[in-house]
Amino acid sequence: MNFLGLKIANKYGLVVLTATAIGAECIFTGYGAVGRVRNKVFSKKFMEENFKEIHTREVGSELPPLGYPDMGNGRYSDKLSYKEWFEFNNAQRAHYNFVEQVGIVIPVTLVAGIGFPLIASGLGSSYAVGRLLYTLGYSSKEGPKTVSYTHLTLPTIYSV
């Protein structure tokens, strides 16, 4: 197939599917890994017990749900136990790490897929699996020390 003078391989649809899956995984990591912990640690009860009075007095509106805008090191997080803070920040870090990389990985995968669709799709798929394993490891009880899955994600970033 030709597009603007570029010859695009017939299997380019696999590349688009892979890039879309990587983007979707990034979004779902935010909802799944971070959202699960955020719902647990910044419960309505926690927020009302610790912040309802001061928030109403100083802001004059209802307390925001789920600890927003705290991203793990703000006023709301100061009231968390160390264990809750550690768990929340590990989930946040796993997601942020994904967000920091996805802006490079998706375009590189799409561009590489123009000439090498199966290789780009394979590396992109490897990256997606590596990101899932990284997130599961990083947001586990042991946290960052369990992470050894970067060998699945780095080939996509460096070789394509």
Side-chain angles (χ1 to χ4, degrees), residues 51-64:
F51 301 103
K52 184 172 184 167
E53 183 182 320
I54 192 169
H55 184 84
T56 303
R57 182 178 67 243
E58 295 195 17
V59 179
S61 65
E62 287 196 28
L63 196 57

Side-chain angles (χ1 to χ4, degrees), residues 95-111:
H95 183 239
Y96 285 165
N97 184 266
F98 201 161
V99 170
E100 290 163 357
Q101 294 178 7
V102 78
I104 301 291
V105 171
I106 289 176
V108 165
T109 301
L110 291 169
V111 170

Side-chain angles (χ1 to χ4, degrees), residues 30-106:
Y31 285 114
V34 181
R36 177 184 56 81
V37 180
R38 182 178 284 281
N39 278 308
K40 184 171 85 174
V41 300
F42 293 121
S43 67
K44 184 173 184 171
K45 179 182 177 192
F46 170 85
M47 293 299 292
E48 287 180 354
E49 286 176 358
N50 291 288
F51 301 103
K52 184 172 184 167
E53 183 182 320
I54 192 169
H55 184 84
T56 303
R57 182 178 67 243
E58 295 195 17
V59 179
S61 65
E62 287 196 28
L63 196 57
L66 302 174
Y68 286 107
D70 198 316
M71 300 307 279
N73 289 308
R75 285 186 181 251
Y76 298 152
S77 293
D78 285 345
K79 298 278 187 180
L80 297 175
S81 69
Y82 181 81
K83 180 183 176 188
E84 291 169 327
W85 174 87
F86 184 79
E87 185 179 5
F88 181 68
N89 275 276
N90 281 341
Q92 280 284 61
R93 187 65 220 140
H95 183 239
Y96 285 165
N97 184 266
F98 201 161
V99 170
E100 290 163 357
Q101 294 178 7
V102 78
I104 301 291
V105 171
I106 289 176

Side-chain angles (χ1 to χ4, degrees), residues 6 19 25 28-29 43 54 66 75 78 88 91 113-115 126 142 146 150-151:
L6 289 174
E25 183 182 8
F28 290 128
T29 297
S43 67
I54 192 169
L66 302 174
R75 285 186 181 251
D78 285 345
F88 181 68
I114 293 171
S126 173
E142 287 78 34
T146 65
T150 54
H151 61 279

Side-chain angles (χ1 to χ4, degrees), residues 115-150:
F116 307 98
L118 295 179
I119 293 171
S121 185
L123 287 171
S125 296
S126 173
Y127 177 82
V129 169
R131 287 304 324 172
L132 176 63
L133 295 173
Y134 179 90
T135 298
L136 293 173
Y138 208 99
S139 56
S140 71
K141 287 181 187 176
E142 287 78 34
K145 71 179 184 177
T146 65
V147 178
S148 62
Y149 304 109
T150 54

